Amino acid sequence: MLDTWLYIGIFFLVAPLIPAVAILIPKVIAPRKPNPIKLETYECGLETVGDSQVQFRVQYYIFALIFLVFDIEAVFLFPWAVAFKQLSLFMVVEGIIFILILLAGLVYAWRKRVLEWA
Amino acid sequence: MSDPVNLISEWFRELLLGWGLSSTLVQLISFAIGAVVVCLVAMTVVILLIWVERKIAGRIQDRLGPNRAGPFGLLQPFADVIKIMTKEMITPDGADSVPFNLAPVISVAAVLLIWAVIPFAATVVGADIHVGVLYIIAVGSFGIVAILMAGWSSNNKFALLGAARAVAQMVSYEVPMVLALLIPVLLAGSMGINGIVEAQNVWFILLAPIATLVFLITSMAEVGRAPFDLLEAESEIVAGFHTEYSGMKFGMFYVGEFLHVFTIGALIATFFLGGWRGPGAATYPILGFVYFYLKAFLGYFVITWVRLSLPRIRIDHMLAFSWKILTPLILVILMVTAILVKVLENANVWLFTLVMLTANVFIGWAAVQIMKQVEQSKPPQQTFEGRPVAMAPKPPASANS
């Protein structure tokens, strides 16, 4: 069991290494002639106006909140799904009631109009 | 001879042990080589897939596609690699260099990590961890971090907008994707990828066609390909999060996207099309590779086909599609699947398949009918009064008489 996790640990080292090497090769062989105009950030041919890392209104922060709820509840459902074959009918019904509560939450959010892009 | 991969790895292990290395070290070395080989094979397949995709695109759009470099243009992607390697990599003024350089690496690594747990054949199963599905979901989300890093560190407003859009899109489509993955887990009774493959005596696409469809759609949105390519919509925000990237750093985002699409093909093959299973795959593991790659390529082809056929959708439609259609649909399917699996616990396999298929088709049909009803009951689209409309001037009345 630990062996498989060791393999994944090694994979976590190897996976970033391959694209990193692919980027380091052109660091050596590619030309490098920076000049001030080339280094400007692109803004439709104009000089960049003001700070680029600006704040703007994010229309979907409520979406992110709903996402959080749904994702956590989906994680709760995974053990239920794994053990499904051994569950009694009562536990299956319990799981379905849980999903219905989830669905009710979605309907509530829908009726409260937080799912509208505004 | 039927199992060359294990044969070679056994021979290699014997060789290293014969040199007098400790068994722990040999284990470590063989794991490292295995990881490198898996990653490099995935990357090489992607280079070929770029050619395949351009050829398919050419045929669908009624042109030839690449046909100059090598036979059938087969050397075209290699020429492209050489070209992109000799291009200058520009880091723009004011860019935050650490996340700027790290983002393309992470975006490829996040996809490569998924390949750690995918079983290729009966005897070559990668890391068979018990929480394989959760691992895939968790690792797949790293890509979002890479896009956010790229968008923020580029010091460019288009990049920032693209990154913000990417987060909205991926956050919304993650929910139906995770719920769709619950269904194969439920049918197999296992969260390990190998357990799911071995449970597919009947392919899960027959037991859960709607879950397959939802998984396909949501993963297309996760990659950000057309029709969900709002994070790099050329007509709106230039190139989105990779506006400021050039040379090989851009190339890594490009490769990452293609790799992700092929990985999704592989995931669909594993979860819904029976993975490496096929006639003779259990006795001749080498056949498992063939079946697996064929099925993965089938998924890849479908995604490419959709990409080349459909236009980009509007961002509010895209979010509404996820929250108002896919999420309720997959929740209903989940409940129905749970009830049917419990009720038909001791039923014949064929009866079970038939009932599941009928239930799925019926729910799909009902969903389409409900959508049509809702669409018809909506008030007609508001028209703007007094807006100037170009019209031909009316001829004077006297002209007729």
Side-chain angles (χ1 to χ4, degrees):
Chain A
M1 193 58 220
L2 268 177
D3 277 359
T4 54
W5 285 103
L6 178 68
Y7 179 65
I8 287 187
I10 290 174
F11 225 99
F12 264 81
L13 295 178
V14 169
L17 205 67
I18 286 175
V21 168
I23 288 178
L24 284 178
I25 293 171
K27 273 247 153 87
V28 180
I29 60 173
R32 197 179 166 79
K33 296 176 193 127
N35 67 48
I37 303 227
K38 194 189 271 178
L39 292 183
E40 269 180 14
T41 53
Y42 177 74
E43 200 163 295
C44 298
L46 301 170
E47 278 176 33
T48 304
V49 180
D51 191 10
S52 281
Q53 286 162 346
V54 286
Q55 292 188 333
F56 55 92
R57 196 169 98 87
V58 182
Q59 275 118 325
Y60 42 79
Y61 100 92
I62 302 267
F63 284 99
L65 282 183
I66 310 172
F67 159 76
L68 216 59
V69 174
F70 267 85
D71 229 27
I72 291 170
E73 303 211 9
V75 168
F76 279 137
L77 281 172
F78 266 105
W80 175 74
V82 171
F84 195 78
K85 296 250 162 80
Q86 292 104 53
L87 295 184
S88 65
L89 192 65
F90 175 67
M91 294 174 188
V92 173
V93 172
E94 266 190 332
I96 287 171
I97 291 171
F98 185 73
I99 299 172
L100 281 175
I101 294 172
L102 207 59
L103 208 54
L106 184 67
V107 171
Y108 175 75
W110 198 335
R111 294 303 293 267
K112 279 277 177 186
R113 304 186 68 77
V114 291
L115 298 184
E116 307 294 328
W117 180 266
Chain B
M1 272 322 283
S2 64
D3 190 8
V5 174
N6 279 342
L7 205 70
I8 291 170
S9 70
E10 271 310 307
W11 169 79
F12 187 71
R13 185 183 295 262
E14 294 290 318
L15 183 73
L16 286 188
L17 283 174
W19 288 352
L21 298 176
S22 72
S23 63
T24 326
L25 198 61
V26 171
Q27 181 91 329
L28 220 60
I29 292 173
S30 55
F31 274 169
I33 289 175
V36 170
V37 167
V38 168
C39 290
L40 284 183
V41 167
M43 297 287 267
T44 319
V45 167
V46 164
I47 290 178
L48 287 174
L49 280 177
I50 292 174
W51 174 82
V52 171
E53 167 131 2
R54 289 179 63 181
K55 217 57 180 169
I56 296 173
R59 288 298 170 182
I60 288 179
Q61 294 163 355
D62 203 9
R63 53 190 176 82
L64 286 173
N67 64 348
R68 293 288 155 166
F72 308 108
L74 258 172
L75 297 179
Q76 188 65 47
F78 297 99
D80 287 344
V81 168
I82 293 168
K83 189 203 82 171
I84 209 163
M85 276 200 163
T86 52
K87 288 283 171 189
E88 182 173 359
M89 293 190 289
I90 303 164
T91 306
D93 264 346
D96 197 342
S97 69
V98 174
F100 187 81
N101 292 322
L102 218 52
V105 175
I106 290 181
S107 100
V108 176
V111 189
L112 280 179
L113 281 174
I114 294 178
W115 288 86
V117 294
I118 288 182
F120 295 98
T123 51
V124 186
V125 292
D128 188 19
I129 49 176
H130 294 320
V131 289
V133 175
L134 284 184
Y135 173 83
I136 284 177
I137 294 167
V139 161
S141 309
F142 283 169
I144 309 175
V145 179
I147 288 175
L148 199 55
M149 279 163 79
W152 177 257
S153 63
S154 287
N155 192 29
N156 183 313
K157 289 173 189 123
F158 295 117
L160 190 58
L161 279 174
R165 280 183 177 199
V167 173
Q169 179 168 334
M170 291 178 182
V171 151
S172 292
Y173 278 82
E174 186 95 2
V175 170
M177 191 176 89
V178 172
L179 291 171
L181 281 182
L182 265 171
I183 288 173
V185 170
L186 193 151
L187 289 170
S190 163
M191 241 196 302
I193 309 294
N194 209 32
I196 290 177
V197 172
E198 262 157 23
Q200 293 187 57
N201 292 323
V202 179
W203 289 3
F204 286 165
I205 191 172
L206 293 175
L207 298 177
I210 291 190
T212 314
L213 194 65
V214 170
F215 183 72
L216 181 73
I217 294 172
T218 50
S219 8
M220 265 156 57
E222 290 273 308
V223 193
R225 279 211 135 183
F228 299 104
D229 59 346
L230 289 142
L231 58 167
E232 40 183 295
E234 298 93 334
S235 51
E236 296 159 22
I237 48 172
V238 190
F241 64 94
H242 58 62
T243 304
E244 290 297 341
Y245 280 88
S246 56
M248 202 59 192
K249 286 180 198 161
F250 164 74
M252 278 299 120
F253 278 120
Y254 192 70
V255 166
E257 186 193 315
F258 273 81
L259 189 61
H260 203 166
V261 176
F262 185 63
T263 309
I264 282 157
L267 289 182
I268 287 172
T270 321
F271 287 133
F272 298 104
L273 297 179
W276 46 264
R277 295 181 64 144
T283 40
Y284 300 100
I286 190 83
L287 273 177
F289 280 94
V290 178
Y291 291 135
F292 174 76
Y293 275 103
L294 276 180
K295 286 169 183 174
F297 179 74
L298 181 74
Y300 179 84
F301 177 72
V302 170
I303 295 174
T304 311
W305 191 2
V306 171
R307 175 199 177 204
L308 292 163
S309 308
L310 296 179
R312 184 182 304 138
I313 61 176
R314 220 168 71 190
I315 189 157
D316 56 332
H317 288 176
M318 189 197 72
L319 292 178
F321 182 58
S322 166
W323 287 107
K324 295 180 181 173
I325 296 172
L326 291 182
T327 309
L329 178 66
I330 198 71
L331 284 173
V332 169
I333 287 282
L334 186 59
M335 285 190 285
V336 171
T337 310
I339 292 170
L340 284 181
V341 169
K342 210 67 217 174
V343 168
L344 298 172
E345 209 167 14
N346 301 316
N348 185 320
V349 178
W350 296 110
L351 178 70
F352 179 61
T353 310
L354 194 70
V355 170
M356 290 296 287
L357 200 58
T358 322
N360 269 274
V361 169
F362 176 74
I363 290 171
W365 176 79
V368 171
Q369 292 304 316
I370 291 171
M371 276 189 265
K372 272 187 183 164
Q373 288 273 316
V374 170
E375 209 51 47
Q376 278 167 3
S377 65
K378 266 185 192 166
Q381 199 136 44
Q382 199 184 347
T383 50
F384 296 97
E385 294 294 332
R387 193 169 159 197
V389 180
M391 265 193 285
K394 281 182 186 163
S398 58
N400 291 335
S401 54

